[in-house]
Amino acid sequence: RVSGLFTVNAPQDAFWQGATFQPVPEAPWTVYNILIPSSALQSALDSVAQTYHTKAVLLQLPLELFWQYRLDPARFTINQLDDLTNQLAQMQASISNKYGYLQSQSSTGPGPYPYIQKIAVSGATLSTSDGPGILGQFQTQIALSRLPSEILSLQITALILIFLSIMAELLVDRQADAIAVLRSRGASSRQIFGSLATQSIGLSLIALVIGPPLSLLTVTLMIKNFLASAGQNGLDAITAHPFETLFSIWWFAVLAALISVIAMISSLNRATRMDVLAVRREYARSTHRPLWQRLQLDIVAIIIALVGYGISFYITNLNGLLDTNTRALVATPLALLAPTFLLIAAVLLFLRLYPLILHISAALALRGRGAAPMLALAQMARAPRQTLRTILLLALAGAFAIFTLVFTASQAQQSINSAAYQAGADFSGDLSTTRPALSLAATTATYSHIPGVLSATVGYSVKGVSAGLSPNIVIQVKAVDTGTFAQTAFWPAQASSQPLSSLMAQLKGQEDQALRDGLVPVIVDANVSDTLELHTGSSFTLTINTLAGSLFHCRVIGSVEHIPTVNDSTTVGTSLSASSEGGLLVDYQTLNTIFTKNLVPNAGTPSHLPINHVWLNTKNDAATLTNVRTTLTTSNLRLDNLQDRRMLLAAMGSDPFYLNLIGILAIGSATALLLALLGSFIAAWLQAHTRLTNFAVLRALGTTPRQVASVLTWEQIMVYLTAIVVGMIFGLLLSVTAIPALVFTNTPVNGATDSVSSSTLYSLQHVLPAQIVLPPSLGIALALFIAICVVALSMMVRIVSRPSMGQALRMNED
């Protein structure tokens, strides 16, 4: 008795377990789902059993009883993920071994069979023969994204530590005059060093105590303001155990404090050995060589970079001996080692050569008529230490900002390319085997008439095996309608250097020749051509196991790098026997004609190639997409294994690993850039105050305030201009060398795609090479940076111009 009708508005609600209660066509039936109380069903079955005086009711098809359990994410943290997946796998194996098919155990002793035939555990979190569960996919994604995340975090950490060390040195330099005065009045170096070292350690300890709680407060505020309400439950893992969270980051806080103390002590050790005369001499002409210059660390960095490039190149080219997992997890770190040390070598080499450039510039300025640039360059050439520190801080921060913008744009482009590669079109999927077979034109017309569809292509997609050549490899055959495929498919730029329309024209143009000589014209991907050593004009044989007696003789008419939706990868087993997979494109009508021409009548063989795959190109408005998705999932035109390019791209954009990476970059680069600007402002301000006496002397010699300000303006312009140019060079160098190894292809674990195995996910990292994108925001960032430098320069000029000559000359009267 029907007691109610209802519609499930939110199948993703946990209560419904994903059930939509919509009718499902399964020829020759249509299956309907109804909702009834389990107690009512049991009472009905008990009544039938009592009527026939039996213990139970045995049906022709057994009943399936489900107990559904939900994991509570609040009960475990990310650090317990490995242990959780291991326990779930052990539980799954234990139940399968003990309660598998119970009829095989009935002969060994009494059991629940035949009343209970099988007990099994399954679910989205558990792995199956088709692939890992969502937790397994999540672990693979963690392994792939951890490397770029940690490398970027280390770069940000290094920039922050450089800022701390420079600030510590500036603090000591600011007290250099006072230290020299104390030395001249009888204080020993040990006394001065001890008092200031105690001050440094005390400041570092205060920062060590205050910093971690402030970081916890900052994270809490950011999560509440930036994350959606559905994602804020992750905050519980931090706030529920604040002391454990703070203890987990103690190493960074201690490292920052140690770097500050070491930088201060190093500067104090040098400052306490200098008297007033030595301080004045060092201000006028720097003679101190830094430690890295004395140890030749720039040469060491160059050697490490060259060795890293050599090892990376060697491992990357071992395609036949390394599987995709090893290449992703071993070759990638090595590929990132070389760019890092190359950047370090470039920075140190610049620091070594820049004083020489200043001396040459000062010599050239002597020939000019202007006094301001000559004085500015001469002062910078004599004492370049402070100038180099400011340039280095700004250049590294600017380089990382450029790298952030380029990496963000490149990663977004990689998501677009990856979504296009995995879907092949706006929508693609397999035709249901229960639908009646139609011709190519009829099937195309059926899907073309869906509202919002701009172009439709149907064809035959199947796996075949090469024959006659060694080794035999699995080849994904894509037999498409060459007349419409170019307008329907969505190919990324890395797939082929030729436009898709040109490839389709080549296939169609070979149709008559193929019918005469019986050779099927095909376009193969690079993996097939490299593995089978094929070239244009080569021939090979292809067999399709699902078609009885099908043996196709193929001729290669072209080659492309990749064929979208084909996971052209190479895996290596324990015996090092390589097993490859590639793809080929062929005209459906040509292949079908040759198939029917060579067909041997057989009851089990179809009379023509079955049409089993559809590609669709659709409009982009929300109403159209909703209608198309509904049609392709619920109507009689539904497609199995449906791939939705736009939904996949949206899922990639909201993927937590992608957001984590972009968040690290955005927050880290903004922090590093702000600290660098703050450090440069402080350094310029201290330098201006320190040289007020020099400027006053220039005023006493007849220099006007405008000319004095012009000298400082020339100095700061040289600093900021050099920092901008060097930062751009370093940023582009780091982007070109590191981004190809850092960009990763993500497959969201949220239902947007089918279950993807770990090996498939690893191989996707090498299918599409990274495309480096220079975003328009680079120009905006450069303009903003120049504007900030202009503001800072105006402040420095105002500081120099403000005090009177008498005040400046009395600044060091004690």
Side-chain angles (χ1 to χ4, degrees):
R1 183 177 69 241
V2 176
S3 58
L5 300 174
F6 69 98
T7 300
V8 177
N9 293 324
Q12 66 273 17
D13 193 313
F15 180 80
W16 297 114
Q17 299 292 333
T20 62
F21 293 93
Q22 297 297 315
V24 179
E26 292 185 4
W29 314 102
T30 298
V31 179
Y32 293 88
N33 294 295
I34 61 175
L35 188 67
I36 65 172
S38 58
S39 57
L41 177 62
Q42 293 169 1
S43 298
L45 294 177
D46 288 342
S47 176
V48 173
Q50 292 174 5
T51 301
Y52 290 93
H53 306 288
T54 182
K55 293 182 178 180
V57 178
L58 298 181
L59 305 178
Q60 182 178 5
L61 296 177
L63 292 174
E64 295 182 355
L65 303 182
F66 294 93
W67 284 264
Q68 294 170 338
Y69 301 87
R70 287 183 56 80
L71 293 178
D72 185 5
R75 300 288 297 275
F76 60 92
T77 64
I78 189 66
N79 298 325
Q80 299 169 307
L81 178 61
D82 293 339
D83 184 52
L84 173 64
T85 53
N86 291 334
Q87 291 191 38
L88 290 174
Q90 293 174 5
M91 177 198 69
Q92 187 179 17
S94 175
I95 291 179
S96 177
N97 294 333
K98 189 174 182 180
Y99 302 107
Y101 289 96
L102 296 176
Q103 57 266 38
S104 63
Q105 304 178 13
S106 59
S107 59
T108 61
Y113 183 81
Y115 303 107
I116 300 178
Q117 298 181 2
K118 178 186 177 182
I119 299 176
V121 58
S122 62
T125 59
L126 302 177
S127 300
T128 64
S129 57
D130 296 329
I134 57 175
L135 292 181
Q137 295 181 55
F138 190 74
Q139 285 179 303
T140 304
Q141 291 273 32
I142 289 176
L144 288 173
S145 64
R146 177 182 291 136
L147 179 65
S149 298
E150 291 182 350
I151 289 176
L152 294 175
S153 299
L154 287 175
Q155 291 178 348
I156 295 168
T157 302
L159 285 174
I160 294 175
L161 294 180
I162 290 174
F163 168 78
L164 289 176
S165 64
I166 291 178
M167 289 298 99
E169 292 179 0
L170 286 176
L171 180 61
V172 175
D173 289 347
R174 185 169 179 264
Q175 298 179 356
D177 289 335
I179 293 173
V181 171
L182 290 175
R183 285 287 312 278
S184 65
R185 293 185 177 181
S188 65
S189 299
R190 180 176 298 180
Q191 291 173 329
I192 300 173
F193 180 84
S195 61
L196 294 179
T198 302
Q199 176 187 2
S200 303
I201 295 174
L203 290 174
S204 299
L205 289 177
I206 294 174
L208 185 61
V209 173
I210 297 177
L214 286 179
S215 67
L216 184 61
L217 177 62
T218 304
V219 170
T220 303
L221 294 176
M222 290 180 63
I223 289 177
K224 290 183 176 179
N225 288 286
F226 290 106
L227 283 186
S229 57
Q232 293 192 6
N233 54 0
L235 183 62
D236 297 338
I238 299 176
T239 56
H241 309 283
F243 294 105
E244 296 180 8
T245 303
L246 293 178
F247 184 76
S248 64
I249 61 172
W250 67 271
W251 63 270
F252 176 74
V254 172
L255 179 63
L258 283 177
I259 292 294
S260 302
V261 171
I262 292 173
M264 285 187 180
I265 289 177
S266 176
S267 300
L268 285 172
N269 186 45
R270 182 172 58 88
T272 53
R273 297 178 182 179
M274 300 172 63
D275 53 19
V276 175
L277 182 61
V279 171
R280 296 300 179 209
R281 188 185 303 116
E282 192 68 22
Y283 278 146
R285 189 182 299 274
S286 179
T287 59
H288 176 72
R289 294 179 63 199
L291 178 63
W292 65 267
Q293 224 172 38
R294 297 196 299 269
L295 298 179
Q296 308 292 333
L297 292 183
D298 49 349
I299 299 177
V300 174
I302 293 174
I303 295 174
I304 295 177
L306 293 177
V307 173
Y309 273 116
I311 296 175
S312 173
F313 180 79
Y314 175 74
I315 292 180
T316 304
N317 286 275
L318 291 178
N319 293 336
L321 298 177
L322 292 179
D323 60 6
T324 54
N325 300 31
T326 305
R327 290 174 61 193
L329 298 179
V330 176
T332 302
L334 291 174
L336 292 170
L337 178 68
T340 302
F341 280 94
L342 180 63
L343 180 63
I344 294 174
V347 170
L348 297 181
L349 187 62
F350 165 76
L351 295 179
R352 180 185 290 274
L353 296 178
Y354 190 67
L356 178 61
I357 296 174
L358 287 176
H359 281 289
I360 296 175
S361 300
L364 294 175
L366 286 173
R367 301 179 181 180
R369 295 183 177 181
M374 182 270 294
L375 290 174
L377 290 171
Q379 175 62 31
M380 294 172 64
R382 290 174 179 175
R385 181 166 169 262
Q386 188 64 46
T387 301
L388 282 175
R389 287 192 301 190
T390 305
I391 291 175
L392 178 62
L393 190 61
L394 286 174
L396 288 178
F400 190 75
I402 292 174
F403 171 77
T404 298
L405 295 175
V406 176
F407 178 83
T408 303
S410 301
Q411 183 65 55
Q413 184 63 42
Q414 185 73 1
S415 297
I416 295 174
N417 295 339
S418 177
Y421 188 89
Q422 296 182 49
D426 288 340
F427 292 90
S428 65
D430 298 326
L431 284 171
S432 176
T433 57
T434 60
R435 295 189 69 244
L438 298 175
S439 65
L440 182 73
T443 309
T444 302
T446 299
Y447 282 92
S448 297
H449 290 152
I450 297 176
V453 172
L454 301 176
S455 176
T457 298
V458 299
Y460 179 52
S461 178
V462 68
K463 285 189 177 181
V465 179
S466 62
L469 294 175
S470 180
N472 295 336
I473 65 171
V474 177
I475 299 178
Q476 183 73 39
V477 180
K478 299 290 183 182
V480 301
D481 181 2
T482 54
T484 60
F485 190 67
Q487 292 78 35
T488 306
F490 200 109
W491 277 34
Q494 300 98 317
S496 172
S497 58
Q498 288 183 269
L500 186 56
S501 57
S502 175
L503 297 175
M504 295 297 101
Q506 292 181 38
L507 287 176
K508 191 64 177 177
Q510 296 286 329
E511 182 178 8
D512 295 337
Q513 179 67 27
L515 297 179
R516 286 195 298 267
D517 56 24
L519 293 177
V520 181
V522 298
I523 295 175
V524 298
D525 65 8
N527 199 46
V528 173
S529 62
D530 293 343
T531 306
L532 300 181
E533 299 181 355
L534 301 175
H535 55 82
T536 302
S538 297
S539 300
F540 67 97
T541 303
L542 178 72
T543 179
I544 299 176
N545 296 331
T546 56
L547 296 177
S550 64
L551 195 65
F552 298 97
H553 300 286
C554 305
R555 182 179 69 249
V556 178
I557 66 170
S559 176
V560 295
E561 288 297 321
H562 308 283
I563 297 177
T565 71
V566 175
N567 180 25
D568 48 350
S569 62
T570 300
T571 58
V572 178
T574 55
S575 62
L576 295 181
S577 57
S579 172
S580 302
E581 180 175 321
L584 64 82
L585 280 173
V586 61
D587 180 27
Y588 173 85
Q589 294 175 337
T590 303
L591 187 66
N592 183 56
T593 303
I594 293 179
F595 172 73
T596 54
K597 180 180 178 181
N598 300 330
L599 180 64
V600 177
N602 190 324
T605 304
S607 59
H608 64 278
L609 288 180
I611 297 173
N612 62 2
H613 202 80
V614 178
W615 295 266
L616 298 177
N617 178 23
T618 66
K619 296 180 180 179
N620 197 30
D621 58 282
T624 296
L625 293 178
T626 301
N627 175 67
V628 173
R629 286 168 182 150
T630 303
T631 303
L632 297 180
T633 54
T634 61
S635 71
N636 58 350
L637 298 180
R638 68 184 182 90
L639 298 177
D640 298 330
N641 303 319
L642 180 64
Q643 295 289 331
D644 184 341
R645 183 183 65 85
R646 295 183 182 90
M647 184 175 290
L648 179 59
L649 182 60
M652 288 180 175
S654 60
D655 182 48
F657 298 103
Y658 173 79
L659 296 177
N660 176 51
L661 200 60
I662 299 303
I664 289 175
L665 278 172
I667 298 173
S669 61
T671 301
L673 188 59
L674 288 175
L675 290 178
L677 291 173
L678 177 62
S680 66
F681 292 164
I682 295 175
W685 179 77
L686 289 176
Q687 187 178 14
H689 270 277
T690 304
R691 295 175 56 194
L692 282 177
T693 303
N694 297 338
F695 292 135
V697 171
L698 290 176
R699 290 279 307 280
L701 294 175
T703 307
T704 65
R706 176 176 294 182
Q707 291 174 326
V708 173
S710 179
V711 173
L712 183 62
T713 301
W714 272 97
E715 290 184 15
Q716 295 303 312
I717 287 177
M718 288 291 296
V719 169
Y720 292 134
L721 184 61
T722 305
I724 291 173
V725 173
V726 173
M728 291 178 63
I729 295 174
F730 288 171
L732 294 177
L733 176 65
L734 185 62
S735 300
V736 172
T737 55
I739 284 179
L742 277 175
V743 167
F744 71 99
T745 301
N746 59 330
T747 300
V749 189
N750 59 0
T753 59
D754 293 334
S755 179
V756 178
S757 64
S758 298
S759 59
T760 300
L761 188 55
Y762 281 119
S763 64
L764 283 175
Q765 309 308 312
H766 304 279
V767 169
L768 290 178
Q771 182 178 353
I772 298 178
V773 178
L774 298 179
S777 55
L778 279 177
I780 299 175
L782 180 61
L784 181 62
F785 186 78
I786 293 176
I788 294 175
C789 293
V790 170
V791 173
L793 179 60
S794 302
M795 293 173 57
M796 296 306 104
V797 171
R798 186 178 181 185
I799 290 174
V800 173
S801 305
R802 180 181 297 177
S804 64
M805 191 187 313
Q807 290 175 331
L809 292 175
R810 288 195 299 271
M811 286 183 64
N812 294 320
E813 60 185 2
D814 56 341

